[in-house]
Amino acid sequence: MVIHGPNLNMLGKREPDIYGTTTLEEVNRRLKNLGDGLNLEVETFQSNHEGRIVDKIQEAAGTCGTVIINPAAYTHTSIAIRDALLATDMTVIEVHLSNIYKREAFRKKSMITDIAVGQICGFGVQVYYLALEAAAKILKCAISS
Amino acid sequence: MVIHGPNLNMLGKREPDIYGTTTLEEVNRRLKNLGDGLNLEVETFQSNHEGRIVDKIQEAAGTCGTVIINPAAYTHTSIAIRDALLATDMTVIEVHLSNIYKREAFRKKSMITDIAVGQICGFGVQVYYLALEAAAKILKCAISS
Amino acid sequence: MVIHGPNLNMLGKREPDIYGTTTLEEVNRRLKNLGDGLNLEVETFQSNHEGRIVDKIQEAAGTCGTVIINPAAYTHTSIAIRDALLATDMTVIEVHLSNIYKREAFRKKSMITDIAVGQICGFGVQVYYLALEAAAKILKCAISS
Amino acid sequence: MVIHGPNLNMLGKREPDIYGTTTLEEVNRRLKNLGDGLNLEVETFQSNHEGRIVDKIQEAAGTCGTVIINPAAYTHTSIAIRDALLATDMTVIEVHLSNIYKREAFRKKSMITDIAVGQICGFGVQVYYLALEAAAKILKCAISS
Amino acid sequence: MVIHGPNLNMLGKREPDIYGTTTLEEVNRRLKNLGDGLNLEVETFQSNHEGRIVDKIQEAAGTCGTVIINPAAYTHTSIAIRDALLATDMTVIEVHLSNIYKREAFRKKSMITDIAVGQICGFGVQVYYLALEAAAKILKCAISS
Amino acid sequence: MVIHGPNLNMLGKREPDIYGTTTLEEVNRRLKNLGDGLNLEVETFQSNHEGRIVDKIQEAAGTCGTVIINPAAYTHTSIAIRDALLATDMTVIEVHLSNIYKREAFRKKSMITDIAVGQICGFGVQVYYLALEAAAKILKCAISS
Amino acid sequence: MVIHGPNLNMLGKREPDIYGTTTLEEVNRRLKNLGDGLNLEVETFQSNHEGRIVDKIQEAAGTCGTVIINPAAYTHTSIAIRDALLATDMTVIEVHLSNIYKREAFRKKSMITDIAVGQICGFGVQVYYLALEAAAKILKCAISS
Amino acid sequence: MVIHGPNLNMLGKREPDIYGTTTLEEVNRRLKNLGDGLNLEVETFQSNHEGRIVDKIQEAAGTCGTVIINPAAYTHTSIAIRDALLATDMTVIEVHLSNIYKREAFRKKSMITDIAVGQICGFGVQVYYLALEAAAKILKCAISS
Amino acid sequence: MVIHGPNLNMLGKREPDIYGTTTLEEVNRRLKNLGDGLNLEVETFQSNHEGRIVDKIQEAAGTCGTVIINPAAYTHTSIAIRDALLATDMTVIEVHLSNIYKREAFRKKSMITDIAVGQICGFGVQVYYLALEAAAKILKCAISS
Amino acid sequence: MVIHGPNLNMLGKREPDIYGTTTLEEVNRRLKNLGDGLNLEVETFQSNHEGRIVDKIQEAAGTCGTVIINPAAYTHTSIAIRDALLATDMTVIEVHLSNIYKREAFRKKSMITDIAVGQICGFGVQVYYLALEAAAKILKCAISS
Amino acid sequence: MVIHGPNLNMLGKREPDIYGTTTLEEVNRRLKNLGDGLNLEVETFQSNHEGRIVDKIQEAAGTCGTVIINPAAYTHTSIAIRDALLATDMTVIEVHLSNIYKREAFRKKSMITDIAVGQICGFGVQVYYLALEAAAKILKCAISS
Amino acid sequence: MVIHGPNLNMLGKREPDIYGTTTLEEVNRRLKNLGDGLNLEVETFQSNHEGRIVDKIQEAAGTCGTVIINPAAYTHTSIAIRDALLATDMTVIEVHLSNIYKREAFRKKSMITDIAVGQICGFGVQVYYLALEAAAKILKCAISS
């Protein structure tokens, strides 16, 4: 499960000089392809609504082992998403396109990081692909142990 | 009116060792029964969406005298729910399943407490039933005065 | 585009002694009339849902030059709305019915102000009309330059 | 064991418009009656002296299973009472007549809450009776488990 | 009464790329013209001296109903100006040429805002004209009520 | 009623170079003499025990119109004394031998000042005599009005 | 030397319900009379200008032993007045008409208190007369020692 | 003089897994024995009452050269004990059974440390014996110099 | 260039249950192998000395395009390493074995993050390999552009 | 242009043990002599009035290239002086007689430093002469470039 | 193992009036003698280099059971030393010659205390000898249990 | 003695547009020449290692009267360098190439300033030469007195 937070549907359309020209659809397609190579089934979801992201996490809880989440603006404020993730047994990997520590002070606080296994940020859309690899390795460890 | 905030639909299903095995449906049923005994009509509502909770409070404003609310994750961040409650004349009673003062620092701040009559927390699902009793007593006082 | 945040649908209905008896419908009608006089097409929108306001801003991004926004409760917490506005090229004017600096401490922080051209607050529903005039003047400058 | 902190001996005598006309003696009598109905032996104690409250808690430690405490002014400053409660095995329920979160900033910090099972505040003298019910339910659970 | 704080005498002369080329004399003339149209007598005053601004407010107290003030640098530090305004019955409207919330942190605190009816900032010299309109509307309301 | 807080029984005996050689007994005698001249009956009390000071204030509440209090060390921490004073109708005058604003940071916060009419500090034992005069004048005003 | 800070020239004229009807002229006359009785020559000065108060303190430094100062709004911000007082050998007594600790948070900080002998506040115009008495006693001590 | 603060009378009886099974009586006996070996007369005192500890320090002031104090809960709040110690000429050694810097944040602040010669904490009841040795060495230095 | 900060030479030897049994030598070998596959020359360096790490960065500045750095304990305090990195043109990638946001508060502040392209943390030794991939991709982009 | 802030007219007259016996007149004369040697025309100005310093800076803006300013007490509070300097193109050099970082906490904040080229403090009246040299060098660089 | 931090090599040579005339060599010799009496082998080490102290702790980790450390200036800043100690199984005892709580604010924070068994400070060079005794007692407990 | 902190060996080589093209060797040579003219023997030292700077200060303590130090990155964190300087009798002059108050917030705190005579910053390499002149003048005063 890969969850994209608010405004990420605009990826590749807004501020291309900053975020590049890859659209969210292309990212999702690439993630599925990579998933195929790693023998992982990848589902993707985007919403601008905090409540819908909570709904989705609750739904996914039964079927998914790992969630890669880019909570975008909700990173810094959403206790509801945090609680939804806490209530599942999924492994959480947090990603951000940009290096959030270089930006406004309020972006430095994350409600998610301390319940995630790890965090990858700052490499643009590459963060998703690196996270998928990390997920695959964690899974392999878990299986082999 | 009893309002349950985000993730409370998972009650009895998630982390049963912490929250017990009573589901939200059972809580709601019990509340209605208790309400019958106290001559109070009890309506219940749950949503993971901040906006829908605001909508519901606006709707209830015309018909309800008292709202028992467990805003869950929105306790700590939702000024919108606070404003919705402020705009009504309903008596507000705030409840929490767990003792929120024993948990992460960010759970200690409540946007609701200072506009509520009172607060009950830490007794698991009992907080709803105690709140209903408190509501009944407040109502009786108001009527007799 | 004029965007009204949560609970503003209750305008003129709630706390009339504070906010007056003008309803949101009347404000919107007046704005359209004023817009006609200033040769500006005015669209209005209200929602209690943070996510829907984000959706709307994304939609408007293509067609609108200026947004007058009263984010109400979301003023103080919504990074999602901030990000949505940042991703557009629209000129943002922030308005508040009341003087937010006279109220609770948490209302003093705005997530929107530093990305807006300017702010007008404290004059009740007049803030919308003054903002429309300001928008018209900014537009005229931009055109003439 | 029900412990009343400083100035609560003035209950019903001071500021009757705020705290009502029920005196502490009447509260204590009512608690004993309720206790009889719930098959709980209720002992009550009031002191203006921090040291005496500590002495009393130490004494009670041997004989009591649960303490309902309204530490009043000592809520916010007494580490000695906290330590005395920590040194016992008693279940602690914290109560306050008023909603302490609506008052001066220094009343928001409690030295007791995070070592209590739960907290009930804001319903006037009803907080004692609700706490006794909560105590009875906790006891019943413990016995039945 | 329109009061301009320190350094505003340099308007149109300093940093024209930021503040435009309109001088304070032109602003004052325009205000008087607008005032004529609105049937308001407009007096203007500028000083770099905190004490003289206090003197002027005391003088104006007897004859003026409304003061539009751009306290400039004194916005953030002058309790003396605040006290002078508090001691009068004048309606206070605070204006700033720039959006003070976009600038240095120390410019975010205003000693005036919470005693003003409202605030207008960020629209350059337009803030004066919008404020005059707002003043006229407040006056009309007061008269008609 | 004049109340002296902890360690003031050592006055004139400890650190005579700082506090002078006047003992508390001499201060009390002088206060009674001054009281006779002003037609005020003066009672004095000293204790090192917070609880006893609370007891005394409760006792005095029935018979006294004004309390001059030097809460010494309890100035900075005692909410219990604050609450006891709040529960009475007595006029409170706060005094300190030394200028508490020149000393350790924790002595700058007073739990009493904002419920007192006024404060006198820094003039050694003279603060008691000046306070008695102030008390007499307040009384005279109240009677004549 | 008695120095009155900004806006005190309005005493008795502004907000008579709070500050009484005694004017500054009457206070000054009374101070001179009291001074005659105590064998003290009393000079008085008022200004709304921080710079002029600094000038006056420098002038007075040569001829005066004691200064009673009510710095009003400059209490909280003027390091210049503090430095002027520090540069003299005068004994400083700080007075305030109102209890500054009951008011806005920014009025709690004084730039003067820690360089004054003592402080008297909250008794209206009486603070000046009490300060004069205190000054007389300090002088008597100094002479007799 | 060795002073034990609140709840230390429970030593060896409460939480033996943390504090061990040595009772306060045994500690006191051992201190007296060690004192005999070091030619020091050891007096011990325990109270749960802040006021009584203040009384005791005042009493001891005349006869004792050194005080070893474990203020327990009062460490963090008692300015009265601090003032009592300040008013004597006794050398103060502060001890704590546990390492107070490993515990709740509010235990990190001590009102005593900066008026003590030194501090020993974290070695259980050994802290008393080490402190007695330290006291003996300080005494020897003082005598030999 | 891959730089390992203090105590990382103990990797695989200390706390194997937390950090695994892979030693730093094995990590370095693996990095070189991966580098071969990616056509990148990998040099590695470890030191417990802040000064030596600064020396090394200065040396590397001439020959290296990218530095992967795990500054370990120096992450949070070393402005010297920050300045050394700032003075070079190398692309900086920051890695941490553990999720530093789950640990002591002082580990949340990084002196490096805001001058790095991005950060990867929490995946144990995998963070180095993911970082090398990220480095390769950044390099490829730079070359192709 | 050399500007001296409040109380500097007392230089050499007040606290000679701290500030030495050189008067401001002597400093100014020496500065003019040094200026002659460096081919710089030196004008000097002192005022206790914030407003007059602002006026002077505005005046100087047209004719002066560099201002050496010792804002004294206004260093820490005057945004008006900061704004006046910002509105000119003059190079600003900030000087202080004493090392302001060794004094009261409120003297550590300067409103001027971050708009100055540099700062010299702590060397008594030498700071003026060193600043003049620095000014001469900056000027030479600018001319030669 | 006894580790002395930076500048302790100057002991007995610098500021003898504060730290006494005992040199570090004498302290080390005395520690070895005391160790002989207690049947403990004592090794000592001093360095001004943070990195070398880290190196030494890593070396000692294999052979030593207990480390007595006076980290001096590194107490307050060195996470590297903290991490090195954390990575060993050694019992840590922290000592300071002076009472660090009486000094500059930045000396109150220790990076070591919360990972140490206990702390001894303020008794000059005696702190080392008391710590050695404490170490001996801890060892005896561990052996006998 | 002139001490240059970490990364200053790169002077003239790194970021020449900011720091100019003068190398550290040239600065040192110029300092020696200036020293010759002022009859001062100048020794210079640079290190990236905090420990080595501490070693050097200890060495210099015997032979040097004055130290000019640019602690660079260690300015903000090194208590060890502060303590080394405190342990000597040398006069300390602190210099910085850039105006540290214009940069990142963490550069505003200096561990050295409050133990230095004075500080010079912001004039590039000129700060060293101005400091040498200041040193010469301080020396001359000391000799002549």
Side-chain angles (χ1 to χ4, degrees), chain B residues 99 101-102 113-114 116-122 126 133 137, chain D residues 99 101-102 113-114 116-122 126 130 133 137:
Chain B
N99 182 340
Y101 303 100
K102 278 188 180 163
T113 311
D114 69 323
V117 173
Q119 188 196 57
I120 302 177
C121 72
Q126 299 293 341
E133 274 189 65
K137 288 206 180 106
Chain D
N99 182 339
Y101 304 99
K102 276 188 180 166
T113 310
D114 69 324
V117 172
Q119 188 196 56
I120 302 176
C121 73
Q126 299 292 340
L130 292 168
E133 272 188 67
K137 288 211 179 102

mmCIF file of all heavy atoms in Angstrom, chain B residues 99 101-102 113-114 116-122 126 133 137, chain D residues 99 101-102 113-114 116-122 126 130 133 137:
data_model
loop_
_atom_site.group_PDB
_atom_site.id
_atom_site.type_symbol
_atom_site.label_atom_id
_atom_site.label_comp_id
_atom_site.label_asym_id
_atom_site.label_seq_id
_atom_site.Cartn_x
_atom_site.Cartn_y
_atom_site.Cartn_z
ATOM 1 N N ASN B 99 -6.785 7.778 29.836
ATOM 2 C CA ASN B 99 -6.362 8.969 30.563
ATOM 3 C C ASN B 99 -5.376 9.702 29.660
ATOM 4 O O ASN B 99 -4.205 9.340 29.571
ATOM 5 C CB ASN B 99 -5.696 8.534 31.877
ATOM 6 C CG ASN B 99 -5.263 9.714 32.706
ATOM 7 O OD1 ASN B 99 -5.110 10.822 32.190
ATOM 8 N ND2 ASN B 99 -5.055 9.489 33.987
ATOM 9 N N TYR B 101 -3.805 12.260 29.858
ATOM 10 C CA TYR B 101 -2.671 12.946 30.496
ATOM 11 C C TYR B 101 -1.505 12.004 30.772
ATOM 12 O O TYR B 101 -0.461 12.408 31.243
ATOM 13 C CB TYR B 101 -3.136 13.633 31.774
ATOM 14 C CG TYR B 101 -4.251 14.571 31.473
ATOM 15 C CD1 TYR B 101 -5.573 14.226 31.705
ATOM 16 C CD2 TYR B 101 -3.995 15.774 30.832
ATOM 17 C CE1 TYR B 101 -6.613 15.075 31.356
ATOM 18 C CE2 TYR B 101 -5.028 16.629 30.476
ATOM 19 C CZ TYR B 101 -6.336 16.272 30.741
ATOM 20 O OH TYR B 101 -7.346 17.112 30.379
ATOM 21 N N LYS B 102 -1.717 10.699 30.521
ATOM 22 C CA LYS B 102 -0.646 9.709 30.698
ATOM 23 C C LYS B 102 0.068 9.430 29.384
ATOM 24 O O LYS B 102 0.952 8.582 29.341
ATOM 25 C CB LYS B 102 -1.249 8.375 31.155
ATOM 26 C CG LYS B 102 -1.528 8.266 32.612
ATOM 27 C CD LYS B 102 -1.919 6.825 32.932
ATOM 28 C CE LYS B 102 -2.221 6.659 34.392
ATOM 29 N NZ LYS B 102 -2.959 5.428 34.662
ATOM 30 N N THR B 113 -11.899 21.094 25.926
ATOM 31 C CA THR B 113 -12.154 21.107 27.369
ATOM 32 C C THR B 113 -12.667 22.439 27.885
ATOM 33 O O THR B 113 -13.606 22.480 28.681
ATOM 34 C CB THR B 113 -10.884 20.714 28.148
ATOM 35 O OG1 THR B 113 -10.371 19.533 27.571
ATOM 36 C CG2 THR B 113 -11.195 20.473 29.605
ATOM 37 N N ASP B 114 -12.078 23.532 27.461
ATOM 38 C CA ASP B 114 -12.482 24.796 28.083
ATOM 39 C C ASP B 114 -13.821 25.324 27.579
ATOM 40 O O ASP B 114 -14.275 26.365 28.038
ATOM 41 C CB ASP B 114 -11.380 25.852 27.971
ATOM 42 C CG ASP B 114 -11.173 26.314 26.560
ATOM 43 O OD1 ASP B 114 -11.273 25.466 25.659
ATOM 44 O OD2 ASP B 114 -10.915 27.506 26.346
ATOM 45 N N ALA B 116 -16.327 22.905 27.428
ATOM 46 C CA ALA B 116 -17.203 21.863 27.951
ATOM 47 C C ALA B 116 -17.593 22.174 29.387
ATOM 48 O O ALA B 116 -16.902 22.928 30.073
ATOM 49 C CB ALA B 116 -16.485 20.516 27.897
ATOM 50 N N VAL B 117 -18.710 21.602 29.822
ATOM 51 C CA VAL B 117 -19.068 21.687 31.237
ATOM 52 C C VAL B 117 -18.038 20.931 32.054
ATOM 53 O O VAL B 117 -17.537 21.420 33.059
ATOM 54 C CB VAL B 117 -20.451 21.045 31.475
ATOM 55 C CG1 VAL B 117 -20.750 20.978 32.964
ATOM 56 C CG2 VAL B 117 -21.515 21.812 30.741
ATOM 57 N N GLY B 118 -17.731 19.730 31.620
ATOM 58 C CA GLY B 118 -16.792 18.912 32.372
ATOM 59 C C GLY B 118 -16.216 17.822 31.506
ATOM 60 O O GLY B 118 -16.557 17.699 30.323
ATOM 61 N N GLN B 119 -15.322 17.064 32.096
ATOM 62 C CA GLN B 119 -14.572 16.050 31.373
ATOM 63 C C GLN B 119 -14.488 14.777 32.206
ATOM 64 O O GLN B 119 -14.311 14.838 33.429
ATOM 65 C CB GLN B 119 -13.165 16.598 31.125
ATOM 66 C CG GLN B 119 -12.323 15.729 30.221
ATOM 67 C CD GLN B 119 -10.858 16.067 30.311
ATOM 68 O OE1 GLN B 119 -10.284 16.024 31.384
ATOM 69 N NE2 GLN B 119 -10.264 16.392 29.174
ATOM 70 N N ILE B 120 -14.615 13.638 31.538
ATOM 71 C CA ILE B 120 -14.442 12.345 32.205
ATOM 72 C C ILE B 120 -13.491 11.532 31.345
ATOM 73 O O ILE B 120 -13.733 11.371 30.147
ATOM 74 C CB ILE B 120 -15.792 11.597 32.345
ATOM 75 C CG1 ILE B 120 -16.782 12.455 33.124
ATOM 76 C CG2 ILE B 120 -15.594 10.244 33.028
ATOM 77 C CD1 ILE B 120 -18.183 11.847 33.250
ATOM 78 N N CYS B 121 -12.417 11.026 31.941
ATOM 79 C CA CYS B 121 -11.489 10.243 31.139
ATOM 80 C C CYS B 121 -10.833 9.131 31.923
ATOM 81 O O CYS B 121 -10.708 9.215 33.141
ATOM 82 C CB CYS B 121 -10.423 11.132 30.509
ATOM 83 S SG CYS B 121 -9.214 11.757 31.655
ATOM 84 N N GLY B 122 -10.450 8.072 31.218
ATOM 85 C CA GLY B 122 -9.604 7.042 31.819
ATOM 86 C C GLY B 122 -10.303 5.774 32.273
ATOM 87 O O GLY B 122 -9.644 4.837 32.691
ATOM 88 N N GLN B 126 -16.736 2.928 30.199
ATOM 89 C CA GLN B 126 -17.558 3.487 31.286
ATOM 90 C C GLN B 126 -17.703 5.003 31.179
ATOM 91 O O GLN B 126 -18.656 5.573 31.686
ATOM 92 C CB GLN B 126 -16.952 3.154 32.669
ATOM 93 C CG GLN B 126 -16.846 1.676 32.989
ATOM 94 C CD GLN B 126 -18.201 1.016 33.159
ATOM 95 O OE1 GLN B 126 -19.201 1.703 33.390
ATOM 96 N NE2 GLN B 126 -18.239 -0.289 33.016
ATOM 97 N N GLU B 133 -25.102 9.818 32.719
ATOM 98 C CA GLU B 133 -25.651 10.123 34.053
ATOM 99 C C GLU B 133 -25.457 11.597 34.393
ATOM 100 O O GLU B 133 -26.367 12.254 34.905
ATOM 101 C CB GLU B 133 -24.932 9.293 35.113
ATOM 102 C CG GLU B 133 -25.523 7.924 35.316
ATOM 103 C CD GLU B 133 -24.896 7.274 36.524
ATOM 104 O OE1 GLU B 133 -25.100 7.793 37.651
ATOM 105 O OE2 GLU B 133 -24.174 6.272 36.341
ATOM 106 N N LYS B 137 -28.319 14.479 35.148
ATOM 107 C CA LYS B 137 -28.380 15.327 36.355
ATOM 108 C C LYS B 137 -28.371 16.810 36.004
ATOM 109 O O LYS B 137 -29.080 17.602 36.617
ATOM 110 C CB LYS B 137 -27.207 14.992 37.281
ATOM 111 C CG LYS B 137 -27.459 13.627 37.918
ATOM 112 C CD LYS B 137 -26.788 13.427 39.240
ATOM 113 C CE LYS B 137 -27.109 12.031 39.755
ATOM 114 N NZ LYS B 137 -25.951 11.111 39.637
ATOM 115 N N ASN D 99 -14.220 22.764 36.283
ATOM 116 C CA ASN D 99 -13.439 22.365 35.119
ATOM 117 C C ASN D 99 -12.130 23.135 35.194
ATOM 118 O O ASN D 99 -12.070 24.311 34.835
ATOM 119 C CB ASN D 99 -14.228 22.726 33.849
ATOM 120 C CG ASN D 99 -13.509 22.313 32.590
ATOM 121 O OD1 ASN D 99 -12.289 22.112 32.603
ATOM 122 N ND2 ASN D 99 -14.255 22.193 31.504
ATOM 123 N N TYR D 101 -9.626 23.257 33.525
ATOM 124 C CA TYR D 101 -9.034 23.697 32.264
ATOM 125 C C TYR D 101 -9.623 25.022 31.770
ATOM 126 O O TYR D 101 -9.196 25.568 30.764
ATOM 127 C CB TYR D 101 -9.179 22.602 31.206
ATOM 128 C CG TYR D 101 -8.571 21.330 31.695
ATOM 129 C CD1 TYR D 101 -9.358 20.315 32.234
ATOM 130 C CD2 TYR D 101 -7.186 21.181 31.717
ATOM 131 C CE1 TYR D 101 -8.777 19.167 32.745
ATOM 132 C CE2 TYR D 101 -6.610 20.037 32.232
ATOM 133 C CZ TYR D 101 -7.414 19.029 32.742
ATOM 134 O OH TYR D 101 -6.835 17.912 33.258
ATOM 135 N N LYS D 102 -10.648 25.496 32.496
ATOM 136 C CA LYS D 102 -11.256 26.788 32.143
ATOM 137 C C LYS D 102 -10.670 27.919 32.977
ATOM 138 O O LYS D 102 -11.094 29.056 32.828
ATOM 139 C CB LYS D 102 -12.761 26.736 32.449
ATOM 140 C CG LYS D 102 -13.623 26.142 31.388
ATOM 141 C CD LYS D 102 -15.069 26.338 31.759
ATOM 142 C CE LYS D 102 -15.973 25.739 30.709
ATOM 143 N NZ LYS D 102 -17.345 25.611 31.186
ATOM 144 N N THR D 113 -2.698 13.637 37.883
ATOM 145 C CA THR D 113 -3.436 12.979 36.800
ATOM 146 C C THR D 113 -2.708 11.798 36.194
ATOM 147 O O THR D 113 -3.305 10.757 35.939
ATOM 148 C CB THR D 113 -3.778 13.988 35.677
ATOM 149 O OG1 THR D 113 -4.359 15.123 36.273
ATOM 150 C CG2 THR D 113 -4.734 13.388 34.681
ATOM 151 N N ASP D 114 -1.419 11.933 35.950
ATOM 152 C CA ASP D 114 -0.761 10.841 35.237
ATOM 153 C C ASP D 114 -0.473 9.629 36.112
ATOM 154 O O ASP D 114 0.042 8.633 35.627
ATOM 155 C CB ASP D 114 0.498 11.337 34.516
ATOM 156 C CG ASP D 114 1.595 11.717 35.455
ATOM 157 O OD1 ASP D 114 1.279 12.246 36.531
ATOM 158 O OD2 ASP D 114 2.770 11.464 35.149
ATOM 159 N N ALA D 116 -3.153 8.654 38.118
ATOM 160 C CA ALA D 116 -4.525 8.244 38.405
ATOM 161 C C ALA D 116 -5.041 7.344 37.284
ATOM 162 O O ALA D 116 -4.544 7.388 36.168
ATOM 163 C CB ALA D 116 -5.407 9.479 38.525
ATOM 164 N N VAL D 117 -6.037 6.534 37.620
ATOM 165 C CA VAL D 117 -6.734 5.762 36.577
ATOM 166 C C VAL D 117 -7.456 6.717 35.643
ATOM 167 O O VAL D 117 -7.356 6.620 34.430
ATOM 168 C CB VAL D 117 -7.766 4.818 37.223
ATOM 169 C CG1 VAL D 117 -8.623 4.156 36.147
ATOM 170 C CG2 VAL D 117 -7.071 3.797 38.091
ATOM 171 N N GLY D 118 -8.181 7.650 36.251
ATOM 172 C CA GLY D 118 -8.955 8.578 35.435
ATOM 173 C C GLY D 118 -9.284 9.828 36.210
ATOM 174 O O GLY D 118 -8.935 9.961 37.388
ATOM 175 N N GLN D 119 -9.943 10.741 35.534
ATOM 176 C CA GLN D 119 -10.233 12.051 36.105
ATOM 177 C C GLN D 119 -11.666 12.433 35.752
ATOM 178 O O GLN D 119 -12.117 12.195 34.629
ATOM 179 C CB GLN D 119 -9.262 13.062 35.485
ATOM 180 C CG GLN D 119 -9.324 14.431 36.125
ATOM 181 C CD GLN D 119 -8.655 15.474 35.271
ATOM 182 O OE1 GLN D 119 -9.018 15.637 34.107
ATOM 183 N NE2 GLN D 119 -7.694 16.178 35.833
ATOM 184 N N ILE D 120 -12.355 13.034 36.719
ATOM 185 C CA ILE D 120 -13.707 13.561 36.462
ATOM 186 C C ILE D 120 -13.720 14.984 36.991
ATOM 187 O O ILE D 120 -13.377 15.220 38.146
ATOM 188 C CB ILE D 120 -14.784 12.729 37.198
ATOM 189 C CG1 ILE D 120 -14.704 11.260 36.755
ATOM 190 C CG2 ILE D 120 -16.175 13.298 36.943
ATOM 191 C CD1 ILE D 120 -15.660 10.334 37.500
ATOM 192 N N CYS D 121 -14.107 15.934 36.152
ATOM 193 C CA CYS D 121 -14.120 17.313 36.635
ATOM 194 C C CYS D 121 -15.227 18.121 35.992
ATOM 195 O O CYS D 121 -15.685 17.813 34.890
ATOM 196 C CB CYS D 121 -12.775 17.984 36.388
ATOM 197 S SG CYS D 121 -12.450 18.387 34.689
ATOM 198 N N GLY D 122 -15.696 19.119 36.732
ATOM 199 C CA GLY D 122 -16.575 20.118 36.156
ATOM 200 C C GLY D 122 -18.058 19.982 36.464
ATOM 201 O O GLY D 122 -18.843 20.842 36.083
ATOM 202 N N GLN D 126 -21.340 16.527 42.049
ATOM 203 C CA GLN D 126 -21.614 15.262 41.357
ATOM 204 C C GLN D 126 -20.341 14.483 41.042
ATOM 205 O O GLN D 126 -20.364 13.263 40.901
ATOM 206 C CB GLN D 126 -22.365 15.502 40.032
ATOM 207 C CG GLN D 126 -23.718 16.161 40.165
ATOM 208 C CD GLN D 126 -24.733 15.268 40.851
ATOM 209 O OE1 GLN D 126 -24.566 14.064 40.913
ATOM 210 N NE2 GLN D 126 -25.783 15.877 41.369
ATOM 211 N N LEU D 130 -20.084 10.363 40.897
ATOM 212 C CA LEU D 130 -19.690 9.648 39.669
ATOM 213 C C LEU D 130 -18.400 8.856 39.918
ATOM 214 O O LEU D 130 -18.254 7.728 39.456
ATOM 215 C CB LEU D 130 -19.488 10.640 38.520
ATOM 216 C CG LEU D 130 -20.744 11.348 38.011
ATOM 217 C CD1 LEU D 130 -20.368 12.509 37.084
ATOM 218 C CD2 LEU D 130 -21.685 10.389 37.277
ATOM 219 N N GLU D 133 -19.110 5.645 41.755
ATOM 220 C CA GLU D 133 -19.638 4.638 40.813
ATOM 221 C C GLU D 133 -18.514 4.021 39.989
ATOM 222 O O GLU D 133 -18.456 2.807 39.798
ATOM 223 C CB GLU D 133 -20.616 5.294 39.842
ATOM 224 C CG GLU D 133 -22.018 5.324 40.369
ATOM 225 C CD GLU D 133 -22.950 5.802 39.267
ATOM 226 O OE1 GLU D 133 -23.112 5.072 38.263
ATOM 227 O OE2 GLU D 133 -23.499 6.917 39.408
ATOM 228 N N LYS D 137 -17.264 0.101 39.820
ATOM 229 C CA LYS D 137 -17.148 -0.707 38.589
ATOM 230 C C LYS D 137 -15.745 -1.272 38.430
ATOM 231 O O LYS D 137 -15.575 -2.413 38.003
ATOM 232 C CB LYS D 137 -17.516 0.148 37.384
ATOM 233 C CG LYS D 137 -19.008 0.400 37.379
ATOM 234 C CD LYS D 137 -19.602 0.558 36.021
ATOM 235 C CE LYS D 137 -21.107 0.789 36.161
ATOM 236 N NZ LYS D 137 -21.481 2.224 35.997
#
